Amino acid sequence: MALITCRDAAFAYDGKVVIEGLNFEVSQGDYLCIVGENGSGKTTLMKGLLGLMRPKSGAIEMGDGLKAIQIGYLPQQTSAQKDFPASVYEVVLSGRLNSRGIRPFYTREDRQVALENMDKLGIAPLRKKSFRELSGGQQQRVLLARALCATEKVLLLDEPVSGLDPIVTAELYQTIAALHREAGLTVIMISHDVRSGVEYASHMLHLQNRQIFFGSAAAYQESDAGRYFLRGGGPQWN
């Protein structure tokens, strides 16, 4: 059963359509990389997947009991987020907010889940450190642990390696791949990095204000869009 199904969806701002013709599925265990240039509709689709925008037409449907608030989300970092005055533990634990419901306090289970995810991401020794004092790579691991606290099914990652150096970038990609492989998480990653997408993802979705490709990573490499972006050959796709 598909966890997420997009059926001929279109999204608009102030009545103007900004992305349309979206038809794809994300099944349990998939690793989908969504690529496209700036302004291609990646952020708009992300808001749709998180339930922050409703399609102007068509639909985004959740299956297997999944709700939008159960998607673990790692956003792009802003300057304000990087300077957030809280401890690593507090940031990770805040990922349990949506699961609390009407309870005013974190439970023992919430705290245990936070500790387990910090250990999984190798940041348990940083538990008491201030988030603002960490390196960019450490901060991303903290935010990834926070996202894990919100879900047991789906991770949505928005440009997770933006601003990181090549070594830290490779390490984070490998960490995400391990979570997908070993923890059985479904991963949806929004990225400019087409080459890493085809290396790590099982499926690719390429946007240019409309859907120009959806399918396996292997098939993408042989598509017009894939050849153009990966090898500089092949015809344009419009």
Side-chain angles (χ1 to χ4, degrees), residues 197-217:
V198 297
E199 179 180 355
Y200 290 101
S202 61
H203 294 76
M204 300 289 290
L205 172 63
H206 197 130
L207 306 178
Q208 194 61 47
N209 302 112
R210 58 187 174 88
Q211 180 176 312
I212 62 174
F213 179 87
F214 171 68
S216 71

Side-chain angles (χ1 to χ4, degrees), residues 6-8 14 33 35 42-43 52 54 59 68-69 91 102-103 125 135 141 149 179 185 188-189 199 210 237:
C6 192
R7 301 185 190 279
D8 200 25
D14 298 324
C33 184
V35 298
K42 300 190 304 296
T43 297
L52 302 177
R54 298 187 66 177
I69 62 170
V91 172
I102 62 172
R103 300 192 309 271
S135 69
R141 285 181 177 272
C149 284
L179 290 171
L185 285 169
I188 303 172
M189 180 174 68
E199 179 180 355
R210 58 187 174 88
W237 53 88

Side-chain angles (χ1 to χ4, degrees), residues 4 50 56 65 110 185 199 203 230 236:
I4 300 171
L50 292 171
K56 177 180 175 61
D110 291 332
L185 285 169
E199 179 180 355
H203 294 76
L230 292 166
Q236 295 272 6

Side-chain angles (χ1 to χ4, degrees), residues 97-122:
L97 284 172
N98 283 339
S99 67
R100 276 171 46 193
I102 62 172
R103 300 192 309 271
F105 304 108
Y106 292 111
T107 65
R108 179 179 296 180
E109 180 186 358
D110 291 332
R111 298 179 188 280
Q112 183 61 35
V113 169
L115 292 172
E116 289 174 357
N117 284 319
M118 284 192 293
D119 188 59
K120 190 179 297 182
L121 272 296

Side-chain angles (χ1 to χ4, degrees), residues 62-237:
M62 303 289 177
D64 197 26
L66 179 68
K67 299 178 181 178
I69 62 170
Q70 295 173 320
I71 296 175
Y73 174 48
L74 174 63
Q76 287 192 54
Q77 278 212 68
T78 64
S79 297
Q81 288 171 326
K82 291 179 180 179
D83 201 36
F84 193 66
S87 71
V88 166
Y89 177 66
E90 290 170 331
V91 172
V92 175
L93 185 60
S94 69
R96 296 292 291 177
L97 284 172
N98 283 339
S99 67
R100 276 171 46 193
I102 62 172
R103 300 192 309 271
F105 304 108
Y106 292 111
T107 65
R108 179 179 296 180
E109 180 186 358
D110 291 332
R111 298 179 188 280
Q112 183 61 35
V113 169
L115 292 172
E116 289 174 357
N117 284 319
M118 284 192 293
D119 188 59
K120 190 179 297 182
L121 272 296
I123 55 172
L126 304 176
R127 174 183 174 181
K128 295 182 180 180
K129 277 190 168 291
S130 172
F131 181 76
R132 60 169 56 161
E133 295 174 357
L134 304 181
S135 69
Q138 289 172 330
Q139 287 185 340
Q140 285 299 81
R141 285 181 177 272
V142 171
L143 294 176
L144 186 52
R146 180 184 185 276
L148 287 174
C149 284
T151 188
E152 295 180 351
K153 292 184 178 180
V154 182
L155 277 177
L156 175 56
L157 314 174
D158 188 5
E159 300 286 357
V161 300
S162 179
L164 302 180
D165 67 53
I167 293 176
V168 176
T169 292
E171 290 175 346
L172 193 60
Y173 274 137
Q174 290 164 11
T175 297
I176 294 167
L179 290 171
H180 168 250
R181 182 177 61 252
E182 297 168 11
L185 285 169
T186 301
V187 175
I188 303 172
M189 180 174 68
I190 296 171
S191 179
H192 286 91
D193 190 350
V194 177
R195 292 188 181 278
S196 293
V198 297
E199 179 180 355
Y200 290 101
S202 61
H203 294 76
M204 300 289 290
L205 172 63
H206 197 130
L207 306 178
Q208 194 61 47
N209 302 112
R210 58 187 174 88
Q211 180 176 312
I212 62 174
F213 179 87
F214 171 68
S216 71
Y220 177 73
Q221 295 181 68
E222 301 305 319
S223 70
D224 289 348
R227 287 197 299 267
Y228 182 82
F229 276 90
L230 292 166
R231 297 196 290 267
Q236 295 272 6
W237 53 88

